[in-house]
Amino acid sequence: MKPLSIGLLMFVLLPFQLIWGQQDNVISGKIVDSHSQEALIGATIWLVNEQTGTTTDVEGDFSITLPSADAYLIIASYVGYVSDTLTFKAEETQNIKIELSEGFELEEVIVSNKGQKARDNFERNQMSLVELSMEEVNKLPALLSENDVLKAIQLLPGIQSAEGAATGYYVRGGSSDQNLILLNNATVYNPFHAAGFISIFNGDFIKDIDIYKGAIPSDQGGRLSSLLNVGTKTPSFKKVQGNAGIGLVTAKLTVEAPIIKDKLALLVSGRAFYSYSLVRALVPDELKADLPKYYFYDAYGQLNWKASKKDDLSLFYYNGKDLVYFQDKTNDEQTIFNIPWSNSVKGGEWKHQFNDKMISKFSAFQTTYDFMFGSDYGYGAQSLTTQIKEVGVKLNISHSVKNHYLNYGLSGAHMMIRPEVTKDVVNSNSSSTRIADVREFYGPLHFNAFVNDDWSITERIGLNYGVRLGLFKEGTQYYTNIDPKLIARFQFTDQSAIKASYSYAKQFVHLLVNSTATTPLDLWVSSNETIKPQTAHSVSLGWYQNFHQHQYEASVETYYKRLGNQIEYKEGVDVFSDISFDEKLIFGKGWTSGVEFLLRKQEGKFTGFVGYTLAWAKRQFDELNHGEWYNYKFDRRHDLTMSLNYQINDRWSVATLFVVGTGHTITVPKDIYYTPTGQGNGAYSIDYGVRNSYRLKAYHRMDVSVTYSGKPKRVQSNLKFDIYNLYNRSNSFFVLLTSESLGRGQGRQANLREYSLIPILPSIAYQMEF
């Protein structure tokens, strides 16, 4: 074996050698809410003697391995909870449960333990990660008073929205399909209601959100741009509790209760859109026939069982559906549009603690996504359908040994992706001709093995490295992936650090997009002999600094990403034509780069953040723009967000949000030519010039909200008043291209008009907790 191969093998096997070769004491346990017994994610454990610590994982678990000592003093803390101080001997392995209560701490406790959670900004061996709690999301002003996870992450540096208030999002110049979205480790393919204005993630059953803008953990993968991990609440094991709310567009109810106290608990949550019925009751009868029908609902249920001291099991189920139906009448002709879509996600997890050093998590899920766009215009009909079914399993084993936190395991998934386009044309003799393109990818199978080591080499130096190995099979076509990841951290002082990362990834499922926003005309397809996997090499470098006893967190990250096998429709292709999908596509490459700034404050009466992004995004296809590089449609040079929340007193709080950004790029005609064909007739031809060379006007708006919280009794309530687009800015939502004649033989002049959709919009919502 070559020396290089031997060295690489030793590098990979080093963490495993530590597992079986060390016999140090392990301080491990779990931190939970004393009332609900819900795990506290990201809670801090600080060992005063050793001046070191750690944070809890998504299950509320922690583990630290240290040499023996006479005794240890531990401080456990979590934002919004009273800290707890424990002293115990460490002569043998410890396994403890810490219960924290909500409330305010005494001043001396605050001073001694301030900012423990904020230390993750520079102490964690991870970068390009932002964590949000639903408490932070709920403080933000909201469109129609519907606080939304996906709207919240769009405010972060490096993440931008599609258009207007839509919830489609794009990370560091990537496309929308390059974002992996998980609900309790289950894949979600379309997380939108209301054509993109509201997400399926009802905040009443969501606990927190993690968004990775790069260097995605090795146990997850298959996407090039980002990972959004949405974690749900653990139902109360102590008593019945819940919340209910009503706003201008939705009504919702969430209830959680113990079935067997301290052993088995259930959470159910539902939300429905009711405004259609309200609007229909208000409009005149003669207008009701033309009123578009729109409904959506979603429902979520979760069951948690503490089977033993070492075993926890959970099951969950989500189901949501949208339906848009309307008739468009022009003179004597009528077109009927029918656009339904639905999501169904179910899964479960079994967590087992073998000992104080080893924890395993086995999970399984099934997700189904159906999307259909249908139109019937009398003399013909057409439809476009995309269906995805995926079943997946995953085994994840974790260790905490000495200064290593190791994850490794296996995962597998089987998919069925079925894009379908049909077009029926009624001929003059009343016969019907059908044009169809149906492709069933029966066989997409994807298997992965992964290993990741989070290694704190010294107090100031750390590495987080791993690799994801995979095999993808579709029909007779095989692809492999070797996706490495490396993050290095060097801490300069007690409040500052520099980090760098490199990662490589492949993507095997792709969304064919017809426009700049997610629409019913978008189709999912998988890699095959013609459609190669998308690829990305990514590097980033960042500086992280805390100020004023960790009250303020600041970071600056710069990144560069090189993209391969990017996919677009051919210029001018008709989606409903009778050629195959493979013939409608072209393939190219791209690159993105940028700098992101973030200043954040999470504690105190004043909280909020300021974020700014300077970015570039380019694409190149031989068949487009004469083969020259051009601006990608989400090449948005500048993005600035300012969010500020102020808690006036125990009852009143106010929040404001200001966003401003460079307009999106589009392609518009450069010239329109008229060519006479004789006998007074002629034809027009269009020169579009450089692709995406025109920018829409800058986007900016301000939102404000005021919240009143009632006195806490048996029922805690609050009333929230929001104003979206406070100064009534007319931001571009879509554009319409028209032309006017310049005279006979002089051609035509193109005119572009930008249309806005949402003016100043006040709303009010009432929420109560019981």
Side-chain angles (χ1 to χ4, degrees):
M1 185 179 289
K2 295 181 179 180
L4 179 60
S5 301
I6 297 174
L8 179 61
L9 181 63
M10 293 179 64
F11 179 70
V12 173
L13 292 179
L14 175 60
F16 294 94
Q17 296 171 355
L18 291 169
I19 294 173
W20 292 283
Q22 300 292 333
Q23 297 297 328
D24 295 306
N25 289 323
V26 177
I27 302 171
S28 62
K30 191 181 189 75
I31 302 181
V32 299
D33 182 297
S34 61
H35 173 65
S36 67
Q37 296 297 297
E38 184 175 336
L40 298 180
I41 304 171
T44 300
I45 290 290
W46 184 253
L47 283 87
V48 178
N49 310 56
E50 300 295 323
Q51 285 297 291
T52 188
T54 188
T55 57
T56 56
D57 62 15
V58 294
E59 301 293 338
D61 298 313
F62 68 89
S63 182
I64 310 175
T65 304
L66 291 170
S68 298
D70 292 336
Y72 286 111
L73 179 64
I74 283 182
I75 297 177
S77 62
Y78 190 70
V79 175
Y81 285 71
V82 178
S83 297
D84 194 7
T85 302
L86 305 91
T87 303
F88 64 91
K89 294 183 179 180
E91 298 171 349
E92 57 187 20
T93 298
Q94 302 289 329
N95 191 351
I96 58 178
K97 179 180 179 181
I98 301 175
E99 299 185 359
L100 299 183
S101 302
E102 290 188 85
F104 298 97
E105 303 179 56
L106 298 177
E107 184 66 23
E108 57 267 24
V109 177
I110 295 176
V111 172
S112 65
N113 196 37
K114 182 181 292 184
Q116 291 295 327
K117 187 178 180 181
R119 290 176 179 270
D120 290 343
N121 188 43
F122 59 89
E123 288 186 344
R124 179 182 292 182
N125 298 327
Q126 180 66 54
M127 65 183 302
S128 305
L129 166 65
V130 180
E131 298 171 311
L132 291 175
S133 66
M134 280 310 301
E135 181 183 1
E136 293 175 87
V137 173
N138 290 334
K139 289 180 180 178
L140 295 169
L143 174 64
L144 298 172
S145 296
E146 191 71 25
N147 291 100
D148 195 276
V149 168
L150 295 189
K151 287 193 183 72
I153 67 170
Q154 290 171 25
L155 304 174
L156 300 172
I159 305 176
Q160 60 175 276
S161 63
E163 295 285 355
T167 50
Y169 68 95
Y170 302 82
V171 178
R172 290 183 171 178
S175 56
S176 61
D177 64 329
Q178 294 174 1
N179 303 317
L180 177 61
I181 302 172
L182 300 178
L183 175 64
N184 291 338
N185 287 317
T187 310
V188 176
Y189 284 93
N190 183 3
F192 308 128
H193 285 306
F197 290 99
I198 299 173
S199 81
I200 68 171
F201 301 120
N202 178 359
D204 290 346
F205 66 78
I206 302 301
K207 181 173 176 60
D208 45 35
I209 312 101
D210 295 340
I211 177 75
Y212 293 83
K213 299 179 289 183
I216 295 174
S218 299
D219 63 328
Q220 304 291 353
R223 298 294 192 274
L224 305 187
S225 291
S226 75
L227 164 65
L228 175 66
N229 200 349
V230 179
T232 59
K233 295 179 179 178
T234 300
S236 172
F237 286 89
K238 295 293 185 183
K239 67 176 185 178
V240 177
Q241 60 186 46
N243 58 73
I246 185 169
L248 291 184
V249 295
T250 63
K252 49 190 177 180
L253 174 67
T254 300
V255 178
E256 47 188 299
I259 299 175
I260 303 175
K261 192 173 182 180
D262 296 327
K263 295 289 290 184
L264 186 66
L266 175 69
L267 180 149
V268 292
S269 181
R271 177 176 59 170
F273 177 88
Y274 65 84
S275 289
Y276 171 75
S277 300
L278 178 63
V279 173
R280 185 175 176 83
L282 297 176
V283 300
D285 291 340
E286 62 270 17
L287 298 179
K288 289 182 179 180
D290 296 327
L291 185 67
K293 295 181 180 179
Y294 176 68
Y295 304 96
F296 82 75
Y297 73 85
D298 50 38
Y300 179 82
Q302 181 173 319
L303 187 68
N304 285 67
W305 178 30
K306 296 181 180 180
S308 70
K309 291 183 178 180
K310 294 187 175 183
D311 295 278
D312 292 287
L313 288 89
S314 64
L315 299 172
F316 75 92
Y317 176 72
Y318 169 86
N319 182 263
K321 187 171 185 177
D322 291 65
L323 174 62
V324 180
Y325 176 89
F326 64 97
Q327 301 178 12
D328 182 20
K329 293 183 178 179
T330 304
N331 297 325
D332 295 331
E333 297 180 357
Q334 176 176 280
T335 302
I336 298 175
F337 294 92
N338 185 31
I339 313 171
W341 68 94
S342 62
N343 280 287
S344 175
V345 186
K346 63 194 75 170
E349 182 183 79
W350 171 30
K351 175 187 168 186
H352 178 72
Q353 184 170 346
F354 291 96
N355 52 52
D356 297 318
K357 294 185 178 182
M358 179 183 291
I359 296 175
S360 70
K361 297 175 185 178
F362 177 78
S363 59
F365 75 90
Q366 176 184 312
T367 184
T368 303
Y369 168 56
D370 291 289
F371 211 77
M372 193 272 282
F373 172 86
S375 61
D376 187 339
Y377 39 91
Y379 55 87
Q382 58 189 19
S383 68
L384 182 149
T385 302
T386 183
Q387 296 177 322
I388 299 177
K389 293 183 180 179
E390 181 179 1
V391 178
V393 294
K394 178 179 176 182
L395 174 64
N396 188 317
I397 300 175
S398 61
H399 288 88
S400 180
V401 181
K402 219 170 181 58
N403 297 324
H404 295 261
Y405 185 79
L406 187 71
N407 278 331
Y408 58 91
L410 302 168
S411 65
H414 174 246
M415 304 177 67
M416 191 282 282
I417 305 180
R418 187 174 188 262
E420 176 181 313
V421 172
T422 64
K423 186 173 184 178
D424 293 321
V425 180
V426 179
N427 302 319
S428 58
N429 58 3
S430 297
S431 63
S432 178
T433 302
R434 164 158 288 204
I435 299 172
D437 183 8
V438 181
R439 173 71 62 81
E440 292 204 30
F441 300 93
Y442 289 106
L445 294 166
H446 201 186
F447 300 99
N448 292 280
F450 55 88
V451 60
N452 195 89
D453 182 25
D454 189 343
W455 182 13
S456 297
I457 301 173
T458 69
E459 185 179 349
R460 295 185 181 272
I461 300 174
L463 289 177
N464 188 320
Y465 59 99
V467 65
R468 182 179 178 85
L469 308 175
L471 173 67
F472 182 88
K473 175 184 180 295
E474 199 286 308
T476 59
Q477 181 66 44
Y478 289 85
Y479 291 106
T480 59
N481 60 286
I482 303 176
D483 300 348
K485 180 203 72 173
L486 174 65
I487 302 172
R489 173 185 64 90
F490 179 74
Q491 187 174 327
F492 288 96
T493 69
D494 291 339
Q495 297 191 82
S496 62
I498 188 171
K499 303 178 187 180
S501 72
Y502 166 78
S503 64
Y504 173 78
K506 281 186 178 179
Q507 179 170 322
F508 299 98
V509 292
H510 323 279
L511 187 64
L512 307 182
V513 180
N514 280 271
S515 66
T516 59
T518 301
T519 75
L521 296 181
D522 298 339
L523 288 171
W524 284 93
V525 298
S526 79
S527 291
N528 54 33
E529 293 182 0
T530 302
I531 305 174
K532 309 298 182 184
Q534 299 182 61
T535 62
H537 291 270
S538 304
V539 293
S540 57
L541 179 68
W543 177 277
Y544 306 85
Q545 179 75 53
N546 283 14
F547 304 94
H548 296 289
Q549 296 180 310
H550 306 289
Q551 289 188 61
Y552 296 89
E553 307 169 45
S555 65
V556 181
E557 287 192 19
T558 181
Y559 64 88
Y560 174 81
K561 182 162 55 179
R562 191 172 78 242
L563 301 164
N565 296 329
Q566 299 301 284
I567 302 174
E568 292 280 1
Y569 278 113
K570 289 180 179 178
E571 190 82 65
V573 71
D574 180 4
V575 177
F576 293 98
S577 63
D578 59 349
I579 61 176
S580 69
F581 285 111
D582 296 352
E583 295 178 278
K584 297 174 184 176
L585 305 177
I586 55 176
F587 306 92
K589 57 187 176 181
W591 63 264
T592 71
S593 66
V595 184
E596 301 166 359
F597 302 84
L598 179 64
L599 177 64
R600 189 180 186 192
K601 185 175 184 291
Q602 298 185 71
E603 299 182 22
K605 286 192 171 184
F606 274 109
T607 59
F609 66 90
V610 177
Y612 170 73
T613 305
L614 173 66
W616 292 261
K618 306 290 183 181
R619 295 292 188 272
Q620 188 273 326
F621 292 80
D622 292 340
E623 298 86 348
L624 298 179
N625 200 49
H626 307 291
E628 300 294 329
W629 287 88
Y630 62 88
N631 292 331
Y632 186 48
K633 54 192 170 188
F634 296 110
D635 177 83
R636 192 167 176 175
R637 192 72 66 242
H638 304 281
D639 253 319
L640 174 68
T641 300
M642 293 185 288
S643 172
L644 179 63
N645 311 296
Y646 180 61
Q647 187 73 41
I648 301 173
N649 52 43
D650 292 343
R651 300 285 176 267
W652 292 94
S653 64
V654 296
T656 182
L657 173 68
F658 177 71
V659 295
V660 58
T662 306
H664 290 302
T665 63
I666 62 172
T667 303
V668 298
K670 180 180 178 183
D671 293 296
I672 302 178
Y673 300 98
Y674 177 82
T675 305
T677 58
Q679 298 181 348
N681 297 320
Y684 291 97
S685 58
I686 301 175
D687 177 12
Y688 282 94
V690 178
R691 189 176 179 86
N692 290 344
S693 59
Y694 182 86
R695 283 194 182 274
L696 301 177
K697 63 184 181 182
Y699 180 97
H700 58 85
R701 76 170 199 273
M702 176 176 283
D703 308 333
V704 296
S705 71
V706 178
T707 302
Y708 173 78
S709 299
K711 294 182 179 181
K713 298 178 181 178
R714 295 181 63 87
V715 175
Q716 171 71 51
S717 63
N718 67 70
L719 191 66
K720 188 177 183 184
F721 179 71
D722 296 273
I723 302 179
Y724 183 90
N725 196 6
L726 179 66
Y727 51 85
N728 200 28
R729 164 70 175 178
S730 296
N731 289 301
S732 298
F733 187 78
F734 67 93
V735 296
L736 181 64
L737 182 66
T738 61
S739 65
E740 60 179 324
S741 175
L742 297 177
R744 185 175 180 83
Q746 300 299 313
R748 299 182 70 86
Q749 175 179 300
N751 298 314
L752 188 70
R753 183 175 179 182
E754 301 181 25
Y755 289 85
S756 63
L757 184 64
I758 304 179
I760 180 173
L761 187 60
S763 60
I764 190 169
Y766 175 76
Q767 182 97 5
M768 66 176 182
E769 299 179 6
F770 53 86

